[in-house]
Amino acid sequence: MMEEAKKVSDFGADVFGAEAIKTYLSKETAKKLLATIEGGKPLDPAISGEVAHAIKHWAMDRGATHYTHWFLPMTGSTAEKHDSFLEMKDGEPIMAFSGKNLIVGEPDASSFPSGGIRSTFEARGYTAWDPTSPAFIKRHSNGATLCIPTAFCAYTGEALDKKTPLLRSMQALDNSLKRLMKLFGKDEAHTGCTLGAEQEYFLVDKKYYEKRPDLVLTGRTLFGAPSAKGQQLEDHYFGTIPDRILSFMNDVERELWKLGIPAKTRHNEVAPAQFELAPQFEELNLASDHNMLVMDTLRNVAEKYGLKCLLHEKPYAGINGSGKHNNWSVSYGGKNLLDPGSNPDENAIFLTILCAIIEAVDKHADLLRAAVAGAGNDHRLGANEAPPAVISIYLGDQLAEVVDRLEKGSGSKAKKSDSMKLGVDILPVLPKDATDRNRTSPFAFTGNKFEFRAPGSSVCCAGPTMVLNTIVAESVDRIAAELEKSGVAGKAKPGEHTTAFHAALQKILQETLKAHKRVIFNGNGYEADWITEAAKRGLPNATNTVEALKALTKKENAALFKKYGVMSERELKSRYEILSEDYATRVRIEGTCARDMASEMILPAVKGEYLKTAQACAAAKAVDVTSGTLALGEDLVELGSGLDALKTGIKKLDEALGGTDMPAVLTAMQALRTTVDTLEHHVADAKWPLPKYRDMLFLY
Ligand code: ADP
Ligand code: MG
C-alpha cells in the first residue's frame, strides 16, 4: 500500500492564505479575494472592509495586537512601522482595522533613501497592499504583529522600493509573452515567473561576535590572519552537521514552514562555519518576499542558540564567501517554458525562449552585473570562489550542441546530423545530471531553469530578477515583432504550424544566435584565460561596484526600462544615486571602523608587547646575560618595524578617509590589514584584542 502523504500540520499556520481566507470570510468574498490573489487581478474595493475585518480577527486569534505595512525600501532590507489595532471609541478602547488601513498606509518616509525623488517637504510616502503576497504573522517573545506586504512609493507615484519595479517587470514579461505565444497559436494565458533562492550564510558564536567591532558594524572581519586550518581539507562541504547547528536549522525551518515558506534543503557549505538553506521554488514575487523572511528568521533564531548569522558576502578573508543563487524560470499557462518539450512544437517554443534569453543576457550583461553590485559582493565576484564579474551563459555541452545545430540550420550543405530543423527535429533528452553542472558560470542552464549565481548572499532577489524579466521581455518582444513582420505567423490553426512559420522562426533565431552567441561560454570561468578571451569577445568586465553601476546611467538602459514600463528615467536615476551612495557609505564605515580598531585595539596591544620585550632585553643586559637577547632583539625589531608600519598605515587610511575616492580607502584598508595580520603572529595570544579566525570558524 502506498504511504499517504501526511500534511505538515502547522505549514502556513501564520499566513493568511487560502485556508484562513475560507475560514474567516464569507464564501462569496473568499472567492473574490482568491481570484485577486491567483490571477493577479485588482482587488474589488467593495470587499476591502470585510477582508480587513477578517484579517484582524485571524491575526488577533494568533495573538497579534499590532499591524504593519511591510515593505522593501531601497536600503536592501525590510521596513515596518507598527500601529496597534487599538482605537478609542466613545471613551472605550476597541480593536479596529479598516479596509483603508489594509489597502494604504502613509508612513512619514523622509528617512528612507529616495535618491532625490522625494524631498522632506513632501515627505509622504505611500504603502499599497500587494494582495499577491499574503499577510503573515511575525512573532516575538511576548506578542505578535500582523504584517501586510506592500509596495512603497512617493506622493508622485514613483517607486521607492524594490517590489514595485519587480511587479512591473513581471507585467512587461507577461505582455511580451502574450504577444509571442499568440503567434504560436496558443490560447491567452498567465505568465508565471518562478524563483528558488539558495541562501548561503555563516554562523559565528555570539561571544566572539560581540568582541569584534568589525563584525558588529560592518558584517565582515576587517582583520584576521588565516587559521592554520581553513577549508583546505574540503571536509566541511556536506559534512555532518553538529547537534547545536542542526537544532538551529530545525528551528529555522519550523519557523519558515509556519510562514508558508517551503524550506527544503540544508547542508554545510564549502567554508568552515558556512551553511546553505534552499527552499522549493515559488512564484517570483512571493519567493522574493519569502527570501527576505528567510534572512530575518536566520538572524532571529540564531540568537536563541547563542549564535550570530552573518549574511555578508565575505565575512572572512581567504575562505569562500556567500552567494545567493537565483534559480529563475518562466512559465506560460502553468507550463515551464524552459523545460525542453517532447514534440517539435514545444521544442520550437523552448528554443525561442532560450535564444531570447541569450540575446537578453548578451545585450544587457552590464545591467545584470549592476544588479548584483555592492560593497560586499565586490570581494566575492572574480575571486575564484564565485563566478567572475564577466557575465556569460553556460548551456552545458548538449544544449550548446543543439544551439549550434540550430544556428547551422537546414542549409543544403549541412549534413543531416549536423543541423537541426525547427518543427521537424526533436531535441535530444537533456539529462538533468547534477554532476554535469558547471559551478563557475554566473548564469547557467540547469535542466529546466537558469541559475543566476552572481548575486551575493545579502541581496534582495527583487533587484536581479527585475532586470532579468525586463531584458527578456525586450528580446521576446523583438522576436515576436520579427515574426509578425514575416507575415507567416498565426495563420495556421492553433498547434499546427506551417513549414513557412518554422522556417521564418528558424531564420530569426539563427540571426539572434549569430549576433549573441559570444556570451555563451561552457568552460571554466575561474581560469585567467577566460577573462582574456572574454575581453577579446568584447564582453564587459566591471570589476567593482563603481564601474558596474555606470550601467544605470546609460541612455539606452533608461530607454529600455521606460519602454517596458518598469522604471521611469527619474526612478532609474534615483536608484543609481542610492546604490552609489550606499556603496560609498559602507566603504566609509568600514574604513573608519578599521582605523579605529587599529588605533584603539591593535596599536596598544603591539605597544604593550614591544615594551615587555624591550624591558626583558634591558633586564637581561643589566645582569650581563647575553643568552636570549638575540631572540629578544629580533622580536623587538620585528615588533618595532610592525609598529612603525601600523602607525603609517593608520595615517594613510585616515588620509584616504578624508577624500571621496572609495577604492583608495579600500586599498589603504588592505595595506593596514596586511600589517595587522602579520603582527597577530608577534603578539602573545592572550594579549591579542580580537578573537581569531581559528576561534571563530569552528563551531560545535
Ligand atoms: P543546486 O544543485 O544548485 O544546489 P538544487 O537542485 O538543490 O540546486 O536547487 C535549486 C533550486 O532551484 C531549488 O530552490 C529549486 O526549487 C529551484 N528550482 C527548481 N525548478 C525551478 C524552476 N522551474 N524555477 C525556479 N526555480 C526552480
Ligand atoms: Mg546552486
Side-chain angles (χ1 to χ4, degrees), residues 198 325 439 451 453:
E198 299 164 56
H325 299 169
R439 305 206 166 258
E451 183 171 355
R453 291 207 186 91

Side-chain angles (χ1 to χ4, degrees), residues 203-214:
L203 291 173
V204 63
D205 220 303
K206 205 171 163 185
K207 65 174 188 255
Y208 297 131
Y209 174 89
E210 283 166 346
K211 291 195 181 125
R212 299 272 331 197
D214 46 2

Side-chain angles (χ1 to χ4, degrees), residues 105-120:
E106 284 185 39
D108 170 6
S110 51
S111 297
F112 289 103
S114 78
I117 278 192
R118 193 210 42 238
S119 45
T120 30

Side-chain angles (χ1 to χ4, degrees), residues 194-198 265 267 276 278-281 325 327-329 336 434 437 439 448-449 451 453:
T194 47
L195 172 73
E198 299 164 56
T265 312
H267 60 79
E276 181 184 300
Q280 196 165 305
F281 72 93
H325 299 169
N327 294 273
W328 169 93
S329 191
N336 182 357
R437 289 185 187 177
R439 305 206 166 258
N448 59 357
K449 62 185 189 296
E451 183 171 355
R453 291 207 186 91

Side-chain angles (χ1 to χ4, degrees), residues 10 149 191 265 334 359 363 369 399 437 441 452 469 482 485 498 530 592 607 645:
D10 55 358
T191 299
T265 312
E359 168 177 325
K363 227 177 132 185
R369 174 65 185 88
L399 188 57
R437 289 185 187 177
S441 173
F452 190 21
N469 291 345
E482 292 279 319
K485 257 197 281 170
T498 59
W530 163 235
T592 310
K607 276 192 219 161

Side-chain angles (χ1 to χ4, degrees), residues 56-74:
K56 181 191 74 183
H57 275 273
W58 170 81
M60 283 173 59
D61 285 349
R62 275 148 192 80
T65 48
H66 289 66
Y67 71 93
T68 179
H69 279 198
W70 179 92
F71 54 102
L72 313 176
M74 289 303 296

